[in-house]
């Protein structure tokens, strides 16, 4: 009887150790969608080869937060702080930021016009839709003097207060925006998107957004992962001097770390 109890106890201890080892050895799954963020994670992996990381690539950004909450990934890198706050408010979720990377300002671009001063009635402006991106783009257009908004209400295309130039503003899925350069008169792109198709924001944009801490890019995790040792280590590497130099070599003075 004693031997049987001892055997059961040993089996339970062995199972516990096996589960603990599995959890400890599981790779840190990081979801990314942009080419540059893939390069960024790979650079961090080179800094610490003992940190086991699995890159999970996404074609678009739609499922990155959902998959994070569903535990399909442990970290994602794609959103601004403003976007995260809007997502949490809308979905009653508690995704947290473990650190920031940089701010890439929005710019307005055109393959048809060389100035926003040439804008006329019926010109089409394509902007990113959804969550904070549409709001951010409309505030940007207001800064340019093209529209007027009512900031006491929810900021949407339909809620534009005044459109003196009578331009047509169209909300488009973010990943589709580069293609709209062929058909729209003007397109609003964030810095990362602009770089990915060959633009240099400081040179090629017709108007560039001011740096704003609200739109700093962040690294997100589930709330329960905040004290995870691998997550903490990744966060430190992300904010290291070496990583910042790597980012600056790519973007130069087109971004800000604040």
């Amino acid at each position: 009887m004693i031997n049987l109890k001892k055997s059961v106890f040993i089996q339970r201890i062995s199972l516990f150790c096996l589960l603990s080892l599995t959890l400890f050895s599981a790779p840190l799954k990081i979801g990314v969608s942009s080419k540059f963020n893939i390069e960024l994670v790979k650079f961090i992996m080179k800094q610490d080869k003992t940190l086991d990381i699995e890159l999970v690539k996404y074609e678009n950004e739609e499922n990155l937060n959902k998959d994070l909450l569903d535990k399909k990934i442990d970290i994602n890198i794609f959103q601004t702080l403003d976007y995260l706050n809007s997502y949490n408010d809308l979905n009653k979720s508690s995704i947290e930021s473990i650190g920031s990377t940089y701010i890439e300002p929005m710019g307005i671009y055109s393959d048809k016009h060389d100035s926003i001063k040439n804008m006329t009635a019926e010109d089409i402006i394509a902007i990113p839709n959804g969550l904070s991106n549409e709001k951010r783009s409309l505030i940007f257009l207001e800064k340019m003097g093209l529209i007027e908004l009512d900031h006491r209400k929810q900021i949407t295309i339909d809620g534009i207060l005044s459109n003196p130039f009578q331009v047509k503003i169209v909300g488009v899925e973010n990943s589709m925006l580069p293609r709209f350069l062929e058909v729209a008169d003007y397109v609003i792109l964030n810095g990362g998107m602009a770089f990915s198709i060959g633009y240099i924001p400081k040179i090629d944009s017709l108007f560039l957004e001011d740096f704003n801490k609200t739109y700093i890019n962040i690294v997100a995790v589930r709330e329960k992962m905040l004290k995870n040792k691998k997550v903490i280590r990744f966060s430190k590497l992300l904010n290291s001097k070496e990583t910042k130099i790597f980012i600056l070599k790519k973007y130069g003075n087109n971004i800000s770390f604040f």
Side-chain angles (χ1 to χ4, degrees):
M1 189 67 177
I2 293 173
N3 287 336
L4 179 61
K5 286 182 178 180
K6 188 182 289 185
S7 176
V8 171
F9 176 75
I10 291 170
Q11 285 177 1
R12 286 178 178 174
I13 290 291
S14 298
L15 181 60
F16 175 79
C17 291
L18 182 62
L19 287 171
S20 299
L21 184 62
T22 301
L23 288 171
F24 182 77
S25 62
L28 194 65
K29 292 184 179 181
I30 301 177
V32 290
S33 58
S34 76
K35 182 181 176 182
F36 178 69
N37 281 334
I38 291 171
E39 293 174 8
L40 179 62
V41 174
K42 286 182 176 178
F43 176 79
I44 290 171
M45 289 166 72
K46 288 179 182 177
Q47 286 188 68
D48 185 350
K49 293 181 180 179
T50 65
L51 186 60
D52 189 11
I53 291 174
E54 180 183 336
L55 259 175
V56 184
K57 301 174 186 177
Y58 286 74
E59 291 298 320
N60 57 57
E61 302 168 350
E62 285 181 15
N63 294 319
L64 275 160
N65 277 338
K66 182 180 181 299
D67 284 1
L68 183 65
L69 290 169
D70 290 342
K71 301 181 181 180
K72 293 180 181 178
I73 54 176
D74 304 306
I75 290 176
N76 69 38
I77 310 175
F78 81 97
Q79 62 197 318
T80 64
L81 182 60
D82 186 61
Y83 184 101
L84 174 62
N85 290 337
S86 297
Y87 185 91
N88 279 335
D89 289 343
L90 183 65
N91 295 278
K92 304 291 188 292
S93 53
S94 56
I95 298 174
E96 297 280 347
S97 166
I98 58 163
S100 58
T101 52
Y102 50 86
I103 297 171
E104 31 183 26
M106 279 185 165
I108 187 164
Y109 300 84
S110 177
D111 284 350
K112 298 179 174 63
H113 309 281
D114 57 12
S115 173
I116 59 171
K117 293 178 181 178
N118 301 329
M119 207 169 287
T120 59
E122 304 301 311
D123 275 356
I124 298 171
I125 304 176
I127 70 171
N129 62 11
L131 282 179
S132 70
N133 288 326
E134 182 176 317
K135 174 185 172 183
R136 179 182 178 184
S137 300
L138 292 171
I139 292 172
F140 181 41
L141 289 175
E142 185 179 48
K143 290 279 188 184
M144 284 184 255
L146 298 175
I147 60 171
E148 186 180 344
L149 302 167
D150 186 348
H151 291 264
R152 296 168 300 178
K153 299 179 181 179
Q154 185 177 6
I155 295 174
T156 64
I157 292 174
D158 293 335
I160 292 172
L161 196 63
S162 174
N163 183 357
F165 291 88
Q166 297 182 329
V167 293
K168 290 185 176 180
I169 301 170
V170 182
V172 178
E173 185 185 330
N174 196 47
S175 61
M176 294 293 292
L177 281 168
R179 296 196 63 182
F180 270 74
L181 285 160
E182 300 171 13
V183 292
D185 293 280
Y186 302 90
V187 176
I188 289 181
L189 304 170
N190 67 39
M193 181 75 73
F195 262 107
S196 71
I197 60 173
Y199 285 131
I200 299 174
K202 284 273 187 179
I203 297 172
D204 298 313
S205 66
L206 304 181
F207 198 90
L208 202 60
E209 183 184 51
D210 292 332
F211 290 118
N212 185 331
K213 285 184 180 180
T214 304
Y215 304 127
I216 195 162
N217 291 308
I218 57 95
V219 178
V221 298
R222 293 183 299 282
E223 189 176 19
K224 290 184 178 180
M225 290 287 286
L226 284 171
K227 294 182 180 179
N228 179 283
K229 289 182 179 180
K230 289 184 178 181
V231 168
I232 293 169
R233 177 60 180 153
F234 180 81
S235 178
K236 286 181 179 177
L237 290 170
L238 180 73
N239 290 286
S240 70
K241 181 181 177 181
E242 290 77 12
T243 301
K244 288 184 177 180
I245 291 171
F246 173 79
I247 294 170
L248 280 173
K249 283 181 178 179
K250 174 72 176 181
Y251 284 128
N253 63 353
N254 291 286
I255 57 100
S256 172
F257 293 113
F258 264 102

